[in-house]
Amino acid sequence: MEVSFLDSAAASRAISRLISSYDELHWSVAWGSYTPLAEQLIKNAGKFRNVTFGIAFSQTDPDLVDGLIGLDNCYVATKFADGTYHPKVYCFRSDERVAAIVGSANFTRGGMGKNLEAVVELTGSIHDPALMNLLKFTNRSATYGEPVTQRLAETYRLSCKRVARLPKAPRDPLSSTTRLSSNGVSSRLIAMGWNHYSQAIYTAQYHNVDHSLELLRIAQTWLASVRSFKNLGLEQRKALAGVIGKNQKTSPELDRDWGWFGSMSGMGDFANRIKENDAYLARAVDSIPQKGEVTKDHFDRFATLFVQAFRSSHRVGGVPTASRLLAMKRPDVFLCISEPNLELAAKEMGFSKSTLRLENYWDRVVEVIRSADWYNVDKPDGADGELWEGRAAMLDAMLYRP
C-alpha cells in the first residue's frame, strides 16, 4: 500500500482525479459545500455506492443537499443520535484497486482550499486491511443516513435560515423543523421576503397599522412593568385578554380598540378567569419569557398551565384565547388565531382549520412563522423596526377577514 501526505489543495486535486478514474465512490463526510468539485461529484452519481454527508450544526450547504435529491446510494446522516457525525473519509474502488483520502478535510470550500488541513492518500488493494476497514466504515456510516428527498432538502434549507439567527446552532438542525407538514414547508408565507410582508401589512384593508402597533407597545410596557401578570390591574388584564368593556376604558391608555388581534368578548369562561385573576392563568403568561428566545418547552408549560385555569369550567379555553394572551406577551413570536383570520391562516400555513388545537398550535403556526424569510431578517431601521418587533402578531393584518 502506498501512502502520501497532502495539504487541502492537493487533497482537492486528488479527489477530482480519483472521482474520474475509479468506478465506485464510498464516502463518509461530515460537511460539504456546493462547489465545482461538488458538481463533478454529482455528475458521477452513477458511481455512488455509499456516499453519506452529515448536516450537524447546519454546516453543510443547502445547495449541496438540493443537488443530492433523488440520487441512489446517497444519504444525509439524520440517525446518528449520540455525539456528532464527523468523519472525513473518501474511498474509491475499481475491482480490487482501492484508494482513500483520509484526514481532517471536509468537502467544504475551506476543507478543499484555504484551510490548513492534514490529509493522507492511501492506494492499494481490497486485501489491504486498512483499506478494507475504510470501505466497511463507509458502509456502516450509510446506516446513519436517509435518502435525500425534496421534502428533506426543503426542510433542511428552512432549518438553515432559522439557525442563522440563533446564538448557537443546534446539533440536529431538523429537530424542530421536521414538525412542519409538507403543506407547511411549501407555505407561501415562508418564501415571502420582508418588503413583500411589510407592504402587505401596511396596505391591509381591515387593520389600522398605527393603532395596532400602538396597542402592542402599550401591552409590552404594562407587562414589562410588573413581575407577574397577576400584578396588573383588572382593566389592564381585561384589555390584554381582549375582553374589556366600553365603560371600563377609564384611562387614555385603556381608551382604544382592544379588539385588534382578536376580540374575546364572547368567551365567558375566559373572561371570568381574567376577572378572578386565576393563578394558573397568571403562571401560564409568566412562563413565556419577556425577552430572548421562546422555546417549545416554554410553550408546552404555558399550555399545561392555561388548561389548568379551566379545571372547574364546563368550557376549556382554546386556541383563540390562549393565542390572544401569547400574542400580547410576545408579538414577535405568536399570532392570535381566531374566527376572523382562521380560514386564511389555515390556507396560507397549510393546515386544516377544523384540526387546529392548542396542542398542535406551535407546530402548525409558530414553526411556519419562524421558518419564513420575512421573519428571519435583521431588524430594519426606522419605522419598520417597530413592525419587526411585533411581526408575528401583525400577520393578523394580512389574514384578517371580518
Side-chain angles (χ1 to χ4, degrees):
M1 183 173 65
E2 297 179 6
V3 181
S4 56
F5 177 80
L6 308 173
D7 61 16
S8 56
S12 177
R13 292 192 297 270
I15 288 174
S16 177
R17 167 175 49 82
L18 295 170
I19 289 175
S20 299
S21 59
Y22 277 76
D23 297 332
E24 298 178 6
L25 306 183
H26 304 252
W27 289 20
S28 178
V29 186
W31 300 312
S33 302
Y34 193 79
T35 61
L37 188 57
E39 292 179 351
Q40 181 188 359
L41 172 69
I42 292 168
K43 288 178 182 177
N44 285 271
K47 298 181 178 182
F48 289 7
R49 294 302 177 267
N50 291 297
V51 174
T52 308
F53 283 98
I55 54 173
F57 304 104
S58 302
Q59 291 296 303
T60 288
D61 187 346
D63 289 342
L64 176 59
V65 176
D66 284 348
L68 304 177
I69 294 172
L71 300 185
D72 292 335
N73 304 313
C74 182
Y75 315 95
V76 291
T78 59
K79 303 174 185 177
F80 191 73
D82 299 321
T84 301
Y85 184 88
H86 204 239
K88 293 91 175 172
V89 176
Y90 311 80
C91 287
F92 308 83
R93 181 180 178 183
S94 290
D95 296 325
E96 293 193 349
R97 291 190 304 118
V98 179
I101 304 289
V102 183
S104 65
N106 274 301
F107 196 63
T108 57
R109 289 181 178 85
M112 295 287 110
K114 64 182 180 181
N115 288 358
L116 180 64
E117 306 284 1
V119 178
V120 293
E121 179 179 357
L122 311 176
T123 307
S125 79
I126 189 65
H127 303 293
D128 290 315
L131 292 171
M132 183 186 300
N133 286 331
L134 285 170
L135 287 171
K136 290 179 179 178
F137 177 83
T138 60
N139 184 64
R140 185 171 73 253
S141 295
T143 66
Y144 297 120
E146 62 180 287
V148 186
T149 63
Q150 184 71 37
R151 169 75 192 282
L152 187 150
E154 289 175 348
T155 303
Y156 178 66
R157 183 174 290 277
L158 288 179
S159 75
C160 290
K161 293 178 183 177
R162 291 259 319 271
V163 303
R165 297 193 57 82
L166 299 177
K168 182 179 179 181
R171 181 177 62 84
D172 180 3
L174 303 180
S175 57
S176 62
T177 317
T178 48
R179 292 194 292 263
L180 289 177
S181 68
S182 57
N183 289 333
V185 169
S186 58
S187 166
R188 182 180 70 95
L189 290 178
I190 285 180
M192 183 184 295
W194 176 260
N195 289 339
H196 187 175
Y197 164 84
S198 62
Q199 181 181 20
I201 299 300
Y202 285 122
T203 59
Q205 183 177 358
Y206 301 107
H207 255 260
N208 184 310
V209 174
D210 290 338
H211 290 178
S212 298
L213 290 174
E214 186 178 31
L215 185 147
L216 291 179
R217 186 165 59 249
I218 291 169
Q220 291 296 288
T221 300
W222 287 351
L223 290 164
S225 69
V226 293
R227 297 184 64 180
S228 170
F229 183 77
K230 69 181 180 182
N231 299 132
L232 292 169
L234 174 60
E235 289 76 14
Q236 290 175 315
R237 297 197 309 275
K238 285 187 171 183
L240 293 176
V243 297
I244 191 169
K246 182 177 180 180
N247 294 332
Q248 297 168 323
K249 298 177 181 180
T250 55
S251 71
E253 285 188 335
L254 290 167
D255 189 16
R256 62 196 64 252
D257 186 357
W258 286 94
W260 295 119
F261 308 105
S263 171
M264 301 296 134
S265 57
M267 306 293 185
D269 283 1
F270 177 62
N272 288 337
R273 300 290 82 74
I274 295 294
K275 181 179 178 180
E276 295 164 1
N277 208 1
D278 183 270
Y280 283 104
L281 201 62
R283 288 171 60 196
V285 177
D286 295 346
S287 68
I288 302 298
Q290 188 73 36
K291 296 180 180 180
E293 183 184 4
V294 179
T295 67
K296 190 173 187 298
D297 286 342
H298 291 134
F299 171 79
D300 288 343
R301 177 167 172 75
F302 167 90
T304 299
L305 292 166
F306 183 84
V307 171
Q308 281 292 309
F310 297 86
R311 58 201 179 280
S312 301
S313 299
H314 295 296
R315 296 177 60 189
V316 177
V319 170
T321 49
S323 62
R324 164 70 192 209
L325 291 176
L326 289 167
M328 293 298 101
K329 182 68 180 282
R330 287 298 296 268
D332 60 326
V333 177
F334 297 106
L335 166 69
C336 178
I337 299 286
S338 59
E339 191 64 32
N341 68 11
L342 174 59
E343 184 167 349
L344 263 185
K347 178 181 178 181
E348 297 293 353
M349 296 183 183
F351 62 84
S352 171
K353 66 179 184 179
S354 64
T355 61
L356 184 64
R357 301 288 185 271
L358 187 56
E359 54 265 30
N360 60 32
Y361 168 87
W362 180 273
D363 296 345
R364 298 190 177 186
V365 178
V366 178
E367 288 293 353
V368 173
I369 290 174
R370 283 156 53 111
S371 299
D373 286 356
W374 56 266
Y375 185 83
N376 288 292
V377 299
D378 291 332
K379 182 178 179 179
D381 296 328
D384 268 10
E386 185 175 17
L387 174 59
W388 184 88
E389 293 281 3
R391 61 198 184 280
M394 288 298 296
L395 195 59
D396 181 60
M398 190 188 309
L399 303 175
Y400 180 89
R401 297 294 183 272

